[in-house]
Amino acid sequence: MTLTQLRAFVAVARLGSVKAAAESLGVTEPAVSGAVAALRRELGDVLFIRAGGGISLTPGGQRLAAGAAEIVGLAEETRHRVRQASAGTAQLRVASTETGAEQVLPALLAAFGRRQPELDADTLAVPVGVFGELLRDRRADVTIGPAPAPHPAIESVPFLRFQLVVVAAPGHPLRQQSRIVPGLLSREPWLFGPAGMDPDTLAGAFLARIGVDPAKATAFPSVTASLNAVAAGDGVTLALLHVVREELRRSHLVVLDVLGMPVNGMLYASTLAPDRRSSVAAALCRFVTTPAATQALLARSNGVPLTEFRPPVHVTLWS
């Protein structure tokens, strides 16, 4: 049993097909099939069968998937730590939503980096639904955003309350109305960043509840671009109140008076249990609860215009 075989099986189990696994690993389908076949022979179990256009794991396959993901994750973590030691830097992989990667992580990691010498941080912009998977497989050290689904191997630390509001341009017709029924907003042109309707986020859940059609919403390359389009009068969007506070003060944007708004939410820093997390991940989870972290996260409200915002960290889309 080799790491290559286990990595191939984990990909098949996660993605539901040999073809998808081969594409994700950058190898041929025969290579994946051969790796899985070798595991089947060694373990005496077919591991999975084809069902309903996908696959269904056998009981043995389910156990192997759980154990193999842990083994592959440990191997990746070991490789990561060796590279870190060789480079003499503290390497950190942080996953967040598209909004978090653009509007939360840059300030947070910049402030953390001032306390953590030689920090090399990469960020992943991913759907909330894969937060737990990334942590358990050790493809991310920390997630910032909603807490992943409860799991005994994962701990989540709440660190920042936020408010979600509906914003529009000052000349929007609904600005003069009070107590707007949320359902009326479903007919408005909605503008978002790349993943603004992720149903596992507070914003996505609100939009689904009021009946916004994802096919009719407009996605922009960044959250900042969508806010600029809203300010130009092209539609409405949901925004973190503290992020747009300066734009509200300058009357570039206005908050619409919608029944049930603002919606209150909480940001969490999540990582593996203490005996399994890296020291730099543990340090970040401690840092997020400090006044310095809160001050850094709220600094956008003190006068950084949307048009001047540039994320100072690398963002990688996870497919």
Side-chain angles (χ1 to χ4, degrees), residues 81-134:
R81 291 187 178 187
V82 169
R83 289 174 178 170
Q84 177 176 321
S86 300
T89 60
Q91 295 185 320
L92 185 67
R93 297 159 297 178
V94 185
S96 187
T97 62
E98 291 281 357
T99 300
E102 182 177 333
Q103 298 186 323
V104 176
L105 293 189
L108 181 65
L109 294 179
F112 179 59
R114 289 192 286 272
R115 295 191 173 195
Q116 185 78 32
E118 304 298 325
L119 177 67
D120 181 9
D122 273 336
T123 66
L124 303 171
V126 299
V128 174
V130 302
F131 275 15
E133 179 183 302
L134 291 179

Side-chain angles (χ1 to χ4, degrees), residues 162-241:
F162 65 87
Q163 291 187 315
L164 203 61
V165 293
V166 180
V167 296
H172 195 283
L174 291 178
R175 183 189 183 182
Q176 304 304 323
Q177 295 189 28
S178 59
R179 312 292 287 171
I180 301 168
V181 177
L184 294 177
L185 296 173
S186 63
R187 298 191 292 269
E188 292 294 316
W190 284 89
L191 315 178
F192 299 107
M197 296 194 71
D198 182 346
D200 293 320
T201 64
L202 198 60
F206 172 82
L207 295 167
R209 189 166 62 250
I210 68 173
V212 175
D213 184 355
K216 295 181 179 179
T218 301
F220 286 77
S222 68
V223 179
T224 300
S226 68
L227 286 169
N228 287 332
V230 170
D234 296 337
V236 299
T237 194
L238 289 167
L240 301 175
L241 181 59

Side-chain angles (χ1 to χ4, degrees), residues 42-76:
E42 179 167 347
L43 298 174
D45 192 306
V46 297
L47 302 178
F48 64 82
I49 58 174
R50 300 189 183 280
I55 65 168
S56 176
L57 295 177
T58 66
Q62 292 174 2
R63 292 193 177 187
L64 177 62
E70 177 72 7
I71 292 169
V72 171
L74 285 170
E76 183 60 30

Side-chain angles (χ1 to χ4, degrees), residues 149-155 272-273 276:
H151 190 280
I154 296 173
E155 291 187 359
L272 294 174
R276 302 173 63 191

